[in-house]
Amino acid sequence: MGMLNTEALAGVRYKENDVQAFEELVRRYDRKLYNIALRLTGNADEAKDLAQEALLRAYRGFGSFRLGTSFEKWLFRIASNLYIDRLRKQHNVRFESLDEPVLTASGQVEKALPDWSSNPEDVAEKNELAREIQGALQSLPLNYRLAVILYDLEGFSYEEISGILHCSIGTVRSRIHRGRRLLREKLAPYVKPAASAGARW
Amino acid sequence: MIAMTCEKAMSLISAYLDKELGFDEYRQVELHLACCEACSEEYEALKATQELLGTLQAAELPREFWPELREKLGRVAAEERSSGLARSGDSPSSPRTHEPWWRGPVLAGAGITKGSLLSSAAVKGLASAALVLLLATAPMVWSAHKRSSATEASSQIDSLEPYFHDYIISEYDRPLSDKTSVGFVVTGQAVTMYTSDLLGPSTRVTQAGSLRDTSPSALSPAGTEYTLISYPR
């Protein structure tokens, strides 16, 4: 993914009007950033706020950006960290295994994952299918959702995602896979019958 | 002959679909799919799911996005200018001396080490009252002025931690960078060195004799100046 001219980057925070220089720098990522935020949050207002806040943090924290590394990844990492932080703060989320059943007084129950995100219908999708897909994305555990969004919607490689999400490639692989399998179940009515299944015979 | 079990093949199907497997694994999954109907159906279903995701259209930026953000950025810039932390003497040729995110109240209490990269026991032990400063490129003297009380500092940990992580991670993203020159001063007495290998980051803690002597308890007083000298290889 696009590596920036490092001299251009170096100059950004030293100009007289560095806000303008910063804007010029990040303009090429703003739409992508906003779209990631939109798919994550499922809400246009929240997405705008998240993307703006990420850019503000990038501006404030520009000194910690290392020239020669991918600015894009750095930016998206800030955004995903920010979103995770927000969820944690809002809901006092504890991160625990999603797979283990919970033992309650009345016996073992499957863990039902609360959906803290906003109503997916908030996203002004023009058609029903898009709404369904967004809704299905919204229902994914956050880690799966992030990985699937970054790969299937934003076109990052596994390696790049491992850099953004700060996890191993093996983890990226399994999150994408699990995320897609959940999506497949949720979107079953829309997943066309595999016409070519069995055609390999 | 089915060289790969269904279980294994199933777990690799998405990576196969994405062509994110090594040659051998890719070949084995391919062979397996050719003779296993169940896995082949799974493959088709996941492929269809992926195609479905691909139908989502990218949204345009809201019209007010930049006008609003420009205003916010302007406020931040104005705060920075008036905060007395003026960046005098900085020049484009020495970007790392630019007053960075850890300016001012960086003296972090416990908590800055809670990130997973810093989870090694050795680091935890050292960093209960941590002054964390980044040492960047080769020998260079860094100063940091502690400008606010520890309480103020601790309130900043949350917002600071992501950047701290970003910095370490971004180091790993640089294939040719000298990992041993990346140091983090912890407690003012030791430099935490991050080294990288093919499997990812590992952590090593080294005593840094070249640092000005500051004991952890001496880190708190306001107005203290710490000078760090990058750790010699």
Side-chain angles (χ1 to χ4, degrees), chain A residues 10-11 13-16 18-19 22-24 26-27 30-31 33-35 38-39 44-45 47-49 51-70 73-74 77-78 81 85 89 125 129-131 133-134 137 148 151-153 156-159 162-164 166 169 173 176-178 180-181 183-185 187 190-192 194-201, chain B residues 8 10-22 25 30 33-37 40-62 64-66 68-70 72-74 76-77 79-81 87 90-92 94-103 116-117 134-137 158-159 162-167 169-171 173-174 177 182:
Chain A
R13 286 287 255 147
Y14 308 96
K15 287 183 182 163
E16 204 49 40
D18 63 2
V19 169
F22 182 77
E23 177 174 340
E24 279 164 25
V26 299
R27 273 283 188 173
D30 56 4
R31 191 165 171 227
L33 181 66
Y34 174 71
N35 271 281
L38 189 63
R39 295 307 169 200
D45 284 339
K48 185 181 74 176
D49 188 62
Q52 287 179 336
E53 181 62 28
L55 287 169
L56 277 175
R57 285 203 182 187
Y59 178 77
R60 285 201 196 94
F62 198 79
S64 70
F65 174 71
R66 293 283 298 173
L67 298 181
T69 65
S70 162
K73 274 196 247 173
W74 183 73
R77 194 157 49 229
I78 290 176
N81 284 344
D85 280 356
K89 278 181 189 137
E125 295 292 358
L129 178 61
R131 263 199 307 278
I133 298 173
Q134 180 63 42
L137 270 175
V148 168
Y151 188 87
D152 283 327
L153 299 178
F156 287 98
S157 70
Y158 282 21
E159 191 181 356
S162 87
I164 294 172
H166 178 192
I169 289 185
R173 187 192 266 188
I176 287 177
H177 186 57
R178 289 175 189 204
R180 270 192 206 143
R181 291 186 71 161
L183 285 175
R184 184 201 58 187
E185 283 167 28
L187 296 170
Y190 302 91
V191 175
K192 288 183 206 118
S196 55
R200 290 162 182 277
W201 288 95
Chain B
K8 178 79 179 161
M10 285 273 189
S11 75
L12 295 176
I13 284 179
S14 280
Y16 172 79
L17 188 59
D18 299 338
K19 300 198 165 44
E20 288 272 2
L21 287 177
E25 273 184 324
E30 194 172 41
L33 291 180
C35 57
C36 173
E37 199 165 354
S40 186
E41 273 169 20
E42 173 84 0
Y43 168 81
E44 295 296 340
L46 288 177
K47 193 170 166 212
T49 304
Q50 193 181 36
E51 281 162 7
L52 209 53
L53 285 173
T55 65
L56 281 181
Q57 304 268 319
E60 293 296 333
L61 268 188
E64 69 278 16
F65 188 90
W66 272 104
E68 285 176 8
L69 183 57
R70 237 172 257 136
K72 292 178 185 173
L73 283 168
V76 173
E79 276 166 27
E80 288 187 351
R81 272 195 299 275
R87 308 189 284 269
D90 280 350
S91 77
S94 56
R96 301 304 299 167
T97 63
H98 168 61
E99 165 197 288
W101 56 262
W102 62 85
R103 67 185 174 265
S116 58
L117 267 169
L134 310 180
L135 297 172
T137 44
D158 272 0
S159 59
Y163 299 123
F164 182 62
H165 275 218
D166 289 338
Y167 182 81
I169 298 299
S170 65
E171 260 319 291
D173 290 344
R174 305 175 66 204
S177 77
V182 187

